Amino acid sequence: MMMPGKYLTFINRFSKTGQTGLIIVGIVFFMAIFAPLISVHSHKLSSGPPLSSPNGEHILGTDELGVDLWAQICFGSRISLVIGMGTALLAGSCGGLIGVLAAYSGGMTDRILMRIIDIITVLPDLPVMIVLAAFFGPGLINIIIVLSLFSWVATARIVRSQVLQLKEQLYIKSAETYGAGTWYLMKRHFLPEIFPLVAVSMIRLTGKAIVAEAGLSFLGLGDPASGSWGLIIHHATSFTGIYYTNFWKWWLIAPWIALTLMVSSLAFISRDFERFADPRMDRRKNRYQKQ
Amino acid sequence: MIFFQGKKSRVIEYLFTIWVIFTLNFFLPRTMPGDPFLFISADEEGEEVAQFSEEQRNYYMAYYGLDRPLYSQYFSYFSDLSKGYLGYSLYYNQPVTIILLHRLPWTLCLVMTAVILSTVIGIVLGGFCAVYADRWEDRLLYFMLIAISEIPAFLVGLVLLFFFAAGMGLFPLSGAMTHFSGYDGFMEKTGDILHHAALPVIALTLTRISGIFLLTRSSIITVLTKTYIKTARAKGISGQRIFIKHIFRNAMLPIVTRVFLSLGSLVGGAILVENVFAYPGLGKLMRDAVMMHDYPLIQGIFLMVTISVLSANFIADLVYKKLDPRISDAAAADGH
């Protein structure tokens, strides 16, 4: 578990790819927070000739309306982070709560919750997201809710199995016999144990949500006003004649690289986190042996 | 998982899930704010011109059966479904079922080819790396595949499209066949279809390989440590026979489930990739339907895709049990 004041050794425990990932995610956070400061031009208004290639004035070029792409990328990182972290927080906390509830109450509640989790797990998520997005309409909040509806199950499953294991531990049992109440047990024993698990799955969720939002935006189902990276790709690919010109070399490549770097960095970080924070890794090893 | 055991309960579980999907599909448009007549009468999005008089409205309500009580609509919805009737597309002016059947083969082609290719390549590479575990060949392949796998399929597709089709002109930009081309023979037609399908299939395959690769690699490494392999070696059985009879057979089990269970996300990837390449399958159709507000069509595609993925999962359960009688239902359900 993470101890305060040991951040350096903590970072050293990451693999090379994980450290690179941390740096890239850090840069993206920096871009998102200081977007108005580091981009000279407006991310919404035209600031130069349309479709100009990268030059001193516009370091990443401009799109078909002459809007600076670097500014769009900077402000787009905000959308990606909001969607990613919003979904991760909502889905992670709901999933965590439901997992604890299912494991702790057991019986009928557990059975019903597990059934729901099973159903959502087998549903292919993208088609359902498309249908929901089509019916509920685009919008950042809607997208976060739709993404969360599908993402909480993984967290809930992991948390549930962890709490089930904990419940059988002797120290929990003895705390119970000493008269520890549900809330005391939660706060003192369960939450500290499941927090790392939830945190790890939240990183996974962040990456997944960013990808899903990019996919929906690419299809034209995202929030048309958001200016997310997926939306830039959508505009670029819907531009007539994009295939026959050189415009894609900056218009499409910039958001593409931003998305790819962000998503792979998150994946590498969560891979490392899983390695040292998830006790289930051992279990997974056992499972392969069983099979 | 403990309380639902046995073959029957598995079937019941799937039937229940399918019922939930059908019901969701029935209630979703009915819980939406607004009125279908507003949408039918409006020419453009956002333009709400209700030109229906009260009488016309009542006539159409009765025509579409929307004046009947909800439970009666619900039952006729199910009787329609049982006849294979999924509604009538507003945009294409055709029964949804017919449109779906036209588009389905293209998606099936893409998905099946990608599944087969990624599985074969993943197993071969995984086996290779398991044998050479921790040597530089293994490390290099491992890193490359992990890195590629994290990029979503449609982004891989975009790169392929722009570099190989738009940039170099090696592949067609869109579609599944060349329009208005009179083919001279079967071979030419097949070649054209393959040429069009190549990039989408590569995009889907590339992102799927690593899952199979990792699983094959780890399960072969695990099997290699087992004592029965040692025993087999000691008995003097040839290396090839050991590999096929002992290692491969045992390592295959998790791979089979993985292939079937990953179909859900593969379908999601295929929907996006089809749109990258304007490939005329269900995914492209789904996007078009959403853009045209063609709700019956959206729902039809949704039903078809979800039911197919569920069936694949169900088959995975059955196949898994066939391959390994030791595994109980609980483990099969938990196996992903």
Side-chain angles (χ1 to χ4, degrees):
Chain A
M1 196 153 308
M2 206 164 114
M3 295 295 248
K6 288 195 175 173
Y7 289 117
L8 265 181
T9 39
F10 180 65
I11 287 177
N12 276 333
R13 285 169 71 194
F14 280 92
S15 61
K16 282 268 156 16
T17 48
Q19 286 172 353
T20 322
L22 281 177
I23 294 171
I24 291 172
V25 171
I27 294 175
V28 173
F29 263 95
F30 180 82
M31 276 165 64
I33 295 168
F34 298 106
L37 297 177
I38 52 175
S39 57
V40 191
H41 300 288
S42 157
H43 66 290
K44 287 205 163 134
L45 301 174
S46 168
S47 57
L51 296 165
S52 64
S53 54
N55 52 48
E57 179 75 10
H58 303 277
I59 47 171
L60 290 179
T62 57
D63 69 2
E64 92 270 41
L65 298 173
V67 186
D68 185 49
L69 270 170
W70 166 246
Q72 288 192 51
I73 298 285
C74 287
F75 280 89
S77 63
R78 290 185 167 184
I79 307 297
S80 283
L81 286 178
V82 165
I83 296 260
M85 297 198 320
T87 310
L89 277 179
L90 189 62
S93 49
C94 287
L97 277 178
I98 292 171
V100 171
L101 183 71
Y104 198 76
S105 51
M108 206 53 198
T109 323
D110 185 31
R111 219 177 277 197
I112 293 171
L113 286 173
M114 280 313 283
R115 222 52 356 187
I116 297 173
I117 290 175
D118 281 350
I119 289 175
I120 297 183
T121 314
V122 290
L123 279 179
D125 43 8
L126 191 78
V128 190
M129 278 183 207
I130 292 177
V131 169
L132 289 178
F135 281 123
F136 290 130
L140 278 192
I141 303 287
N142 278 353
I143 299 253
I144 292 180
I145 292 173
V146 168
L147 291 177
S148 304
L149 271 179
F150 275 88
S151 322
W152 63 271
V153 282
T155 318
R157 223 185 249 279
I158 296 172
V159 168
R160 176 180 171 273
S161 69
Q162 177 74 2
V163 173
L164 279 182
Q165 270 177 27
L166 282 176
K167 252 171 75 177
E168 299 306 314
Q169 300 287 320
L170 281 179
Y171 70 92
I172 301 271
K173 297 231 167 185
S174 65
E176 265 173 347
T177 46
Y178 279 124
T182 310
W183 279 117
Y184 176 82
L185 281 177
M186 266 316 149
K187 225 172 68 189
R188 192 83 182 79
H189 295 299
F190 287 126
L191 287 184
E193 287 287 332
I194 61 172
F195 182 73
L197 288 184
V198 176
V200 170
S201 67
M202 272 187 185
I203 300 177
R204 272 256 172 241
L205 288 181
T206 310
K208 272 192 168 173
I210 291 175
V211 169
E213 191 275 339
L216 285 177
S217 289
F218 167 71
L219 290 180
L221 286 169
D223 187 343
S226 69
S228 71
W229 293 337
L231 198 71
I232 305 176
I233 295 182
H234 170 72
H235 285 313
T237 49
S238 353
F239 181 74
T240 329
I242 184 87
Y243 302 117
Y244 306 107
T245 54
N246 276 332
F247 304 150
W248 62 273
K249 282 186 182 151
W250 60 92
W251 193 0
L252 188 84
I253 295 276
W256 191 91
I257 289 181
L259 256 177
T260 310
L261 280 182
M262 180 69 183
V263 170
S264 356
S265 306
L266 283 171
F268 285 133
I269 296 173
S270 73
R271 211 170 271 278
D272 277 3
F273 259 110
E274 265 163 30
R275 193 161 44 84
F276 48 70
D278 187 357
R280 272 166 49 96
M281 285 302 271
D282 299 329
R283 231 198 60 176
R284 203 173 296 162
K285 244 185 240 158
N286 294 336
R287 204 174 64 203
Y288 288 145
Q289 273 160 10
K290 242 187 277 162
Q291 284 165 355
Chain B
M1 290 298 159
I2 312 133
F3 24 78
F4 265 83
Q5 278 187 349
K7 207 171 200 167
K8 251 183 207 152
S9 70
R10 231 29 222 152
V11 176
I12 293 171
E13 207 183 301
Y14 273 104
L15 286 178
F16 179 69
T17 312
I18 287 175
W19 172 76
V20 168
I21 291 170
F22 281 150
T23 309
L24 190 75
N25 195 34
F26 172 80
F27 279 108
L28 211 53
R30 285 172 173 77
T31 49
M32 272 201 322
D35 190 312
F37 299 106
L38 280 181
F39 250 115
I40 290 178
S41 59
D43 280 340
E44 274 176 342
E45 203 182 334
E47 179 194 344
E48 295 188 348
V49 218
Q51 287 169 334
F52 287 95
S53 68
E54 192 65 24
E55 280 161 45
Q56 278 173 319
R57 213 185 118 87
N58 289 339
Y59 170 75
Y60 280 114
M61 286 287 254
Y63 180 76
Y64 289 110
L66 291 171
D67 57 339
R68 288 182 292 140
L70 210 55
Y71 68 87
S72 135
Q73 292 181 37
Y74 189 63
F75 282 118
S76 54
Y77 164 74
F78 269 96
S79 81
D80 279 350
L81 276 181
S82 64
K83 287 177 218 144
Y85 179 74
L86 290 170
Y88 204 80
S89 160
L90 303 172
Y91 179 74
Y92 293 93
N93 255 325
Q94 264 181 327
V96 168
T97 323
I98 292 186
I99 306 175
L100 289 187
L101 289 179
H102 268 290
R103 299 294 194 101
L104 183 67
W106 295 114
T107 303
L108 268 184
C109 266
L110 281 193
V111 171
M112 297 302 280
T113 324
V115 164
I116 294 170
L117 277 181
S118 60
T119 312
V120 171
I121 299 175
I123 290 177
V124 170
L125 291 182
F128 173 79
C129 283
V131 176
Y132 292 98
D134 276 331
R135 292 207 347 211
W136 68 269
E137 297 99 324
D138 171 45
R139 291 218 186 117
L140 182 72
L141 262 176
Y142 188 92
F143 179 77
M144 270 169 38
L145 285 173
I146 295 280
I148 293 176
S149 74
E150 300 301 349
I151 309 173
F154 80 98
L155 291 181
V156 175
L158 276 175
V159 165
L160 293 177
L161 175 67
F162 277 93
F163 276 97
F164 295 107
M168 299 184 206
L170 294 176
F171 290 93
L173 287 166
S174 66
M177 288 161 87
T178 313
H179 288 295
F180 313 118
S181 64
Y183 293 113
D184 282 337
F186 178 73
M187 284 309 285
E188 200 184 334
K189 191 176 174 186
T190 323
D192 190 46
I193 291 177
L194 286 179
H195 195 207
H196 279 82
L199 288 185
V201 167
I202 293 175
L204 285 175
T205 308
L206 273 180
T207 43
R208 310 292 325 161
I209 289 178
S210 80
I212 305 292
F213 164 80
L214 286 180
L215 205 54
T216 315
R217 184 177 170 277
S218 72
S219 51
I220 289 188
I221 288 178
T222 319
V223 172
L224 279 175
T225 62
K226 298 271 166 162
T227 39
Y228 57 76
I229 301 291
K230 235 181 224 169
T231 316
R233 288 231 170 87
K235 285 198 307 197
I237 298 173
S238 74
Q240 201 186 352
R241 198 177 148 83
I242 291 180
F243 198 82
I244 293 170
K245 276 267 171 187
H246 297 267
I247 300 176
F248 195 63
R249 169 111 207 239
N250 283 297
M252 268 312 281
L253 286 170
I255 298 168
V256 170
T257 359
R258 176 56 176 262
V259 169
F260 278 97
L261 287 176
S262 66
L263 278 180
S265 55
L266 182 59
V267 164
I271 289 179
L272 288 167
V273 167
E274 275 182 14
N275 280 295
V276 170
F277 294 97
Y279 204 80
L282 287 180
K284 177 87 173 42
L285 185 68
M286 190 165 199
R287 184 210 188 168
D288 294 344
V290 170
M291 290 299 152
M292 305 300 174
H293 294 281
D294 195 339
Y295 292 110
L297 190 54
I298 303 174
Q299 290 178 289
I301 302 168
F302 167 69
L303 275 189
M304 179 158 238
V305 171
T306 41
I307 302 297
S308 327
V309 171
L310 280 182
S311 323
N313 284 348
F314 185 60
I315 295 173
D317 276 358
L318 294 184
V319 170
Y320 199 69
K321 247 178 283 171
K322 269 261 158 18
L323 284 177
D324 188 0
R326 288 170 306 170
I327 296 295
S328 69
D329 293 68
D334 213 37
H336 51 98

